[in-house]
Amino acid sequence: MRRFARLFAALDASTATHAKLAALKAYLAEAAAADAAWAVYFLAGGTPRRTVPTRVLREAALAASGLPEWLFEECYQAVGDLAETIAHVLPAPAAEDDLGLAGWVEERLLPLRGQPAATVRERLIDHWRVLDWPGRFLLTKLIGGGFRVGVSRLLVIRALAEHAGVDATVVAQRMMGYTDTDALPTAERFARLIAAGTDGPVAAGAPYPFFLAHALADPAALGAVADWQVEWKYDGIRAQLVRRAGQAWIWSRGEELVTERFPEIAAAGARLPDGTVLDGEIVACTDGRRPAPFALLQKRIGRKTLTRRILAEAPAAFIAYDLLETGGSDRRTLPQHARRALLEATLAHAAGPGLLLAPVLDAADWAGCAALRAEARARGVEGLMLKERAGRYGTGRTREAGTWWKWKVDPYSIDCVLIYAQAGHGRRAGLYTDYTFAVWSDDAPERRLVPFAKAYSGLTDDEFRAVDAVIRRTTVEKFGPVRSVTPSLVFELGFEGIQASPRHKSGVAVRFPRMLRLRPDKKVEDADTLARLRELLAAGAPAAA
Amino acid sequence: MSDLVVLRPEGLYCPAGDFHIDPWRPVERAVITHAHSDHARAGHRHYLAASPSAHVLRARLGEIRLQTLDYGAALDIGGVRVSLHPAGHVLGSAQVRLAHRGTVWVVSGDYKAAPGFAAEDATCAPFEPVRCDAFISESTFGLPVYRWQPQARIADEINAWWAGNADAGRASILYAYSFGKAQRILAMIDARIGPVYCHGATEAVNAAYRASGVALPPTLPAGAGVAADDRRRALVLAPPAAQGSAWARRFGEAADAFASGWMQLRGARRRQGVDRGFVLSDHADWPGLERAIAASGASRVILTHGQVAVMVRHLAAQGLDAQAFATEFAGEAGSAADAGAAAPGAAAGAPGAEVAAPASPAATAA
């Protein structure tokens, strides 16, 4: 545990990639395989099922620190992170012990699940007592399930690859599914990650690392349109459909196995020949052809159990746009157009309910592309994808193998007023960065500001600090962590979609809202109105099928 | 019995003696706790401060009508017996003790109080508890999450970081407040590791410290440029405002760090955007505040700046008569609360506006 805590401290203390990589490699060189297995699991984003409810964690911290609840709450508001707050307020450790990370997780952490609250509290306090500050912080983070450190999965993969002397793409592929909740890490699984050899046998259901697109502002620099394969950019869940050994697996881009959540797609996958892997997008699809708004899919994502009714209301389909494997062979090094031909041949037999072929769009020139892009909103898609016809299928957000561009439609935008603010977490702890925005109601002259969206991204650190200062100065009331302010700041808010929503005061729900810019030139009175939101709603709703 | 210190628009005021303490508007007679700019402002007619602060005060405010008083010595002002006692904050920092008709009040200014009121900081006299009836205290770090490590441990961390950078052939830029923190660090470091350069703002204060008889290791002004050989092993001390400036880029590939009490929290550390954060403050941590307030023996405590509401409620829960003064003192620079200098689209307010109104114990302890 101490070794992993030291690694965490080193990763946390530095913002430099080379220093983080060096710390990771140093850890891998000295850690026992069973411990390294868990370290890689956590660093790559793995989260075991929750062992201790937050309430019990807080109770144990209050008991151990002797602080009154209100004071603990004040601390938490200032720190913005429960585990860090707890580590700060606990009394000094009594002794330290030498148990490794695997021992801590397997013998002490996981067995806490399902124990009576009183037992959990007692054991937590015992555990904290034998750990120094970094150890306590880390343990509590792991318990709380909020363990995040400034290390990307890609960097972990790079460290493993350099440690083992194995190609990074091979390690990336072996890492697929490693952080799956149902498969806990072991020394054996870790050994397989770093085994010598360049191309170990791909585990039966494993997907390939996803190839990611870059945002495009202007296609003019891309050369001839004929060099690019043009497709719609779908608004769904990026996924791979894997068909091997008589089974189908569906993996989302978060490397989560989601087969059970999309039974209709899994059933369609059974129509594919063995040894096939498709890349595409899961969308809700009510008419069997055309994607429905993302909100419909979201309805399903939230459900633990899929009732017959949900399946009928929001049927899902996999829109396939690339082919990574046929006949059990990796096709990623083929050029895009050749993969497309294989995809079309494969789908000629397999397409049907639950599995659709993404059309390739025709455009004579960039102006034609722009015209297509202008239709995107009405068609319920996010814009266009431009894929280099000669390009291979890369790993992650690389551009060496060829490039995928996403050319999204411009976001909707609206001028609105900041009315509530809440402090952020992590890097933004103690700084008011999460805002609620309002527009004017229509009933002049007594119009009111009606909240319609929350956003917490889009400003620079300096802008956040400046807005934070205004919020502190113009606070009217505090409700727990939330402050209401005297309206004084106008923002231009951007968002991707708009839906009617009876659950919201404003009657609309917007998708991916973020701050485009501060509008110091505008007065609060000049902000937009509910009527304007309703216009956007009417204009932007996908055409009825 | 009337209060010995009250809040006026000009600042803290002693009606019995007709003088102000650390006022933020020009007044006739100002008693100054220490030379930081939110406490010692220009424009007063008469200044009174502790003797060791004379050089620094003059370096910052130029020619002022300054009367100095040794620690422990007393002076009668309008029937009020005024004496100054070490606050342990920076060179020359003082608590102001006021005695009038059997009542004693102490205005602490800013202070730090190590366990046992030990002398950790080599550049100033340690905090000396003064018994009183009413204690006016800061509360910059008034939350239980703020607990400082012994200074020796932070010194080890800084020296190890510097030595590590020097071995890797890059300069170490350490951002620290130019008056107080920087000199404390100079007295903490192992100057054998490499040459030490200082930003002009820091170097000016160094000179005032040396003139006051404080021993500091040799430093070089960074303004004139840095020899290439030196650059690889140098420690560079600079005020936080230099971070990200063209000035900081002259040292080539360099590691940077920030020394402040705010670095205790990961969020603040990451927001600062430096490689390292050293938790080092000239303000009292939570145990230090409790320690100083308890040692004063005061039954009445008035908090001036920082985590005022929290401390008022905490002290009230212990049966003390606790209240707040809405002052314009800023506490340690770099806090989230006072970082927003240029606010867009809104009227400029006072720094430390976090403290909106004096909070009564009855209202906050409910």
Side-chain angles (χ1 to χ4, degrees), chain B residues 4-15 19-32 38-39 41 44 107 136 304 325-329:
Chain B
L4 269 185
V5 178
V6 298
L7 185 64
R8 286 267 184 100
E10 298 79 25
L12 301 181
Y13 177 66
C14 174
F19 59 87
H20 289 81
I21 300 164
D22 292 352
W24 42 85
R25 291 192 198 162
V27 300
E28 181 67 23
R29 193 172 242 293
V31 181
I32 301 297
D38 53 329
H39 292 261
R41 301 183 193 237
H44 310 308
V107 179
I136 299 183
T304 53
F325 273 164
T327 66
E328 295 189 8
F329 304 140

Side-chain angles (χ1 to χ4, degrees), chain A residues 241-480:
Chain A
L241 178 54
V242 177
R243 172 73 175 169
R244 291 192 197 111
Q247 269 198 77
W249 290 267
I250 307 166
W251 294 84
S252 76
R253 209 196 100 187
E255 293 196 8
E256 198 186 349
L257 199 52
V258 294
T259 319
E260 282 142 17
R261 292 210 226 149
F262 300 100
E264 59 272 71
I265 298 176
R271 298 197 298 267
L272 291 166
D274 239 25
T276 306
V277 178
L278 304 180
D279 184 10
E281 197 95 1
I282 298 172
V283 297
C285 193
T286 44
D287 65 353
R289 291 185 303 119
R290 194 182 269 232
F294 188 79
L296 196 58
L297 190 62
Q298 215 157 21
K299 255 190 175 172
R300 274 185 67 153
I301 300 170
R303 298 299 171 105
K304 271 217 174 104
T305 49
L306 290 172
T307 59
R308 205 181 290 263
R309 192 164 142 234
I310 283 285
L311 286 174
E313 272 178 13
F318 184 88
I319 303 187
Y321 46 63
D322 212 327
L323 177 140
L324 313 183
E325 182 179 310
T326 44
S329 300
D330 182 352
R331 307 293 181 187
R332 290 177 299 162
T333 51
L334 292 177
Q336 184 80 47
H337 63 84
R339 298 202 308 278
R340 174 73 197 185
L342 285 174
L343 175 69
E344 287 177 7
T346 305
L347 271 273
H349 308 289
L355 179 57
L356 310 171
L357 174 67
V360 166
L361 306 178
D362 271 327
D365 49 27
W366 293 120
C369 269
L372 283 169
R373 175 169 167 266
E375 291 174 27
R377 213 155 246 159
R379 290 176 174 269
V381 295
E382 290 188 306
L384 296 183
M385 292 295 302
L386 306 173
K387 299 176 177 177
E388 208 169 344
R389 281 175 52 81
R392 289 174 288 133
Y393 190 91
T395 296
R397 220 173 286 279
T398 52
R399 292 184 56 184
E400 297 89 51
T403 305
W404 282 10
W405 293 105
K406 48 183 176 190
W407 191 24
K408 302 217 298 189
V409 287
D410 295 328
Y412 291 101
S413 82
I414 202 132
D415 291 333
C416 52
V417 182
L418 189 160
I419 56 168
Y420 302 120
Q422 187 167 358
H425 292 266
R427 207 167 83 82
R428 298 153 147 203
L431 202 60
Y432 285 87
T433 56
D434 299 4
Y435 310 138
T436 301
F437 294 101
V439 290
W440 290 105
S441 65
D442 315 312
D443 30 29
E446 281 151 32
R447 53 184 205 160
R448 296 160 294 117
L449 282 167
V450 182
F452 83 103
K454 283 181 160 189
Y456 46 84
S457 63
L459 298 188
T460 64
D461 285 359
D462 285 346
E463 286 171 327
F464 270 126
R465 272 194 286 273
V467 173
D468 175 85
V470 175
I471 287 164
R472 287 170 195 276
R473 223 173 20 240
T474 57
T475 296
V476 176
E477 269 184 287
K478 296 188 195 176
F479 319 91

